[in-house]
Amino acid sequence: MSSNKEIIKFISLKLFRSGVSSVLPQTLVRKHVSRKGPHLMVMEDTYRLQQNCYVVGFGKAVLAMSSELEKILGEHLVGGIISVPDGIRNTFQNAKEMLPKANSVLKVMEGAKNNLPDLNAQNAASCIADLVSNLDNSAILFVTISGGGSALLPSPMPPISLSDKLAVTKLLSSAGASIQELNAVRKSLSMLKGGGLAMLAYPAKVIALILSDVVDDPLDIIASGPTVYNTDSKFLALHILNKYSLETKVPQVVLNQLKGPLSSNTMSVEVPVVNGQFSHVCNYVIGNNGVALENIAEQAKNAGYVPLILSSALEGNARKVAKLYSSFAVEICRFICGEITGESLLANLNNACHTQSIPLKNFNAVTQADFPYECRRFCLISGGETTVEVKGSGLGGRNQELALAFSLEVSDLMKKYPCCEMCNILLLSGGTDGIDGPTTYAGAISYPQQISFSKSRGIDPLTYLNNNDSTNFYLNINNGEDLLEIGHTGTNVMDIHILIVEISEK
């Protein structure tokens, strides 16, 4: 890689790390929760505390969320249980701000190794259920929720077993189901998801602090909505299984459950619902992908780039998104080199979105003013969560697959538009939780030169892509120098994509 490319790579990494830092859980809790004497302020609401507070939590970010909340609640916190990823305390042993204080009243239970529900997580869920079911109307229950919460709160509806539920999750994930679809099915098979936890906690007051890892922040989907009234149709889960031709592949006990009478995960006591919401529950989203993107845009501007936030709600197949980004990169190169006008650029960008059929929800309309003629450095920023259709047996994740697909696509397009050789093009695709798929990497950095470099060494990138083996592609071309290895971050607001296009110093 040229020294100029190394600089751009360094900048992209710095931007990514800055975005992740802006959504660290302890920072967000301090920003939105404060206490003055017995009065607790959560965003714009105030609650009176009387040494009657309890905390339960589940997710990749709740260790720091709950620890910070304990500091704020002080003597008003009686006890609590949090379900966190396996090994996370060891990961953050040198980051004291992420951990409970020495004399903490919080019980920390680890489980869900490799982000899959296991017996340890099921035990934690059972302990949480026992705690909340014994609260009365004088108690305030704080629920900290973040991405990964579904795997850390498994409570299968009898007679379904944990292995049955895990089999369904694996089938849906391999088929390319979205997180919305995955969680809709999980809710239908769970005692605590889909509002089950909130119903179990009634009549205690429930205050949920949520760090969103889902596009558009749908409360019923984040961690499968344990504090949200479930309005899903009885037949939604069956429809999703049928969509991916999985009805004959899932365990029979699951099908029996979904086809049988509508099961209830409620108590015998009727829980009041007003306007489609539990009357005893208040849900607060304290952070999401948009917060990280805004931070990156500000830092990119300070670094001399024209920052453009495209969307914080990007969805779709990773390879299709890669094709979209490659089209964006090439069209911006043509604009920078004077081949097309700003008007043509805008038309071509919009056409690319239409051609690839990518659902750019909340797409920030780009105008000609966003592309000043005098500027030759652009940084396009977006976030969301793509999907991968697993057909091979390789090792990778959605971010690494997107990155590899991007370098292939943009390398191919550059043959048609030689002016792109005058520009530096680089894409960083990374998960804010620091983990991409069943790997130790957060994602990868991609640029077109990787393709010619790999082929010159007898490595066929397309073979790796078709085998869903993006991790080993990056490990083989330069010992993994372009893989993002940052470890568990302690937060999770989906993925961040940073596309840098600038005129080359050459």
Side-chain angles (χ1 to χ4, degrees):
M1 182 189 281
S2 67
S3 59
N4 198 30
K5 187 72 73 175
E6 286 287 358
I7 293 172
I8 302 173
K9 179 179 174 180
F10 173 80
I11 290 171
S12 70
L13 279 167
K14 186 176 180 181
L15 294 175
F16 177 68
R17 289 181 180 275
S18 179
V20 171
S21 295
S22 72
V23 288
L24 288 178
Q26 64 271 28
T27 301
L28 294 169
V29 171
R30 283 195 298 266
K31 180 180 179 181
H32 296 293
V33 183
S34 60
R35 180 170 71 93
K36 189 173 183 180
H39 300 287
L40 186 78
M41 283 68 71
V42 182
M43 293 188 172
E44 298 178 352
D45 298 327
T46 302
Y47 300 92
R48 184 172 178 81
L49 310 179
Q50 295 178 312
Q51 297 183 344
N52 57 343
C53 300
Y54 298 82
V55 172
V56 297
F58 29 89
K60 297 176 181 178
V62 304
L63 182 64
M65 289 174 74
S66 303
S67 299
E68 191 62 36
L69 185 58
E70 180 176 24
K71 296 172 187 175
I72 295 171
L73 293 174
E75 70 277 10
H76 294 284
L77 181 61
V78 179
I81 301 170
I82 55 175
S83 178
V84 299
D86 181 69
I88 194 169
R89 282 177 293 185
N90 184 59
T91 299
F92 295 119
Q93 60 182 329
N94 296 320
K96 301 302 182 184
E97 71 279 4
M98 306 285 284
L99 300 172
K101 60 184 183 178
N103 58 342
S104 173
V105 298
L106 296 174
K107 181 178 181 180
V108 181
M109 304 181 71
E110 296 187 2
K113 190 174 182 178
N114 296 323
N115 201 31
L116 294 173
D118 56 19
L119 291 177
N120 288 332
Q122 187 174 17
N123 183 42
S126 178
C127 291
I128 287 173
D130 287 343
L131 187 155
V132 304
S133 63
N134 285 304
L135 300 180
D136 59 26
N137 60 5
S138 68
I140 299 178
L141 175 67
F142 291 88
V143 185
T144 54
I145 302 172
S146 74
S150 285
L152 286 159
L153 193 73
S155 185
M157 190 173 292
I160 296 171
S161 69
L162 184 60
S163 60
D164 292 329
K165 198 172 177 184
L166 184 57
V168 175
T169 300
K170 286 183 176 179
L171 285 168
L172 285 167
S173 296
S174 297
S178 68
I179 187 64
Q180 289 86 345
E181 292 171 324
L182 273 168
N183 285 358
V185 175
R186 285 167 172 159
K187 284 190 290 183
S188 67
L189 305 176
S190 174
M191 295 291 292
L192 296 178
K193 297 178 175 70
L197 181 70
M199 289 186 280
L200 203 59
Y202 182 79
K205 180 67 179 178
V206 177
I207 299 172
L209 304 180
I210 302 167
L211 184 56
S212 173
D213 71 326
V214 183
V215 168
D216 288 338
D217 306 335
L219 297 179
D220 61 323
I221 295 296
I222 302 168
S224 304
T227 61
V228 181
Y229 181 67
N230 188 15
T231 59
D232 287 350
S233 160
K234 172 187 183 300
F235 303 104
L236 178 59
L238 278 174
H239 172 74
I240 293 169
L241 294 180
N242 183 59
K243 174 183 175 180
Y244 294 101
S245 302
L246 297 177
E247 278 200 59
T248 59
K249 298 179 181 179
V250 299
Q252 186 61 44
V253 66
V254 170
L255 273 186
N256 293 343
Q257 176 70 35
L258 296 179
K259 291 182 177 180
L262 185 61
S263 298
S264 173
N265 53 4
T266 68
M267 304 178 299
S268 58
V269 178
E270 185 175 347
V271 180
V273 175
V274 179
N275 296 325
Q277 299 180 24
F278 292 122
S279 61
H280 68 298
V281 177
C282 289
N283 291 300
Y284 300 93
V285 176
I286 63 171
N288 56 21
N289 188 265
V291 174
L293 301 192
E294 290 287 350
N295 175 274
I296 292 171
E298 181 180 353
Q299 298 303 317
K301 185 176 181 180
N302 293 339
Y305 290 90
V306 172
L308 301 170
I309 297 178
L310 298 180
S311 173
S312 62
L314 184 70
E315 295 180 290
N317 183 278
R319 297 192 194 185
K320 285 188 176 182
V321 173
K323 185 172 288 190
L324 178 69
Y325 286 157
S326 64
S327 297
F328 281 7
V330 168
E331 293 303 326
I332 293 174
C333 284
R334 295 179 67 201
F335 170 76
I336 288 175
C337 296
E339 285 195 1
I340 58 175
T341 65
E343 290 182 356
S344 296
L345 172 62
L346 295 179
N348 292 348
L349 293 182
N350 288 326
N351 183 59
C353 292
H354 177 74
T355 302
Q356 299 305 324
S357 301
I358 299 297
L360 283 174
K361 297 179 182 178
N362 303 332
F363 182 71
N364 293 324
V366 179
T367 67
Q368 193 165 344
D370 292 318
F371 293 93
Y373 282 104
E374 68 276 7
C375 183
R376 296 294 181 264
R377 305 178 77 201
F378 293 94
C379 180
L380 277 64
I381 310 155
S382 59
E385 193 164 279
T386 62
T387 58
V388 171
E389 187 173 354
V390 180
K391 294 184 176 180
S393 58
L395 180 67
R398 60 178 179 262
N399 286 290
Q400 294 165 72
E401 175 134 340
L402 192 157
L404 175 54
F406 172 81
S407 57
L408 275 164
E409 290 288 348
V410 78
S411 176
D412 191 51
L413 278 176
M414 287 174 68
K415 298 173 185 176
K416 184 177 179 181
Y417 301 102
C419 71
C420 294
E421 296 290 347
M422 298 172 61
C423 296
N424 291 312
I425 302 172
L426 180 146
L427 174 72
L428 180 152
S429 181
T432 55
D433 61 354
I435 302 298
D436 185 36
T439 76
T440 58
Y441 307 101
I445 292 175
S446 172
Y447 44 93
Q449 292 81 2
Q450 288 169 335
I451 303 306
S452 56
F453 181 83
S454 63
K455 288 182 177 179
S456 71
R457 283 156 177 76
I459 298 172
D460 181 17
L462 186 58
T463 298
Y464 280 87
L465 182 64
N466 288 337
N467 193 35
N468 302 115
D469 201 17
S470 50
T471 299
N472 285 314
F473 170 79
Y474 287 109
L475 288 172
N476 287 334
I477 62 169
N478 57 8
N479 296 317
E481 289 182 7
D482 294 324
L483 288 167
L484 302 179
E485 190 168 15
I486 61 175
H488 285 285
T489 63
T491 193
N492 185 16
V493 291
M494 298 185 291
D495 303 331
I496 291 173
H497 306 149
I498 301 171
L499 175 60
I500 293 177
V501 183
E502 66 175 38
I503 195 73
S504 171
E505 290 183 357
K506 295 184 293 183

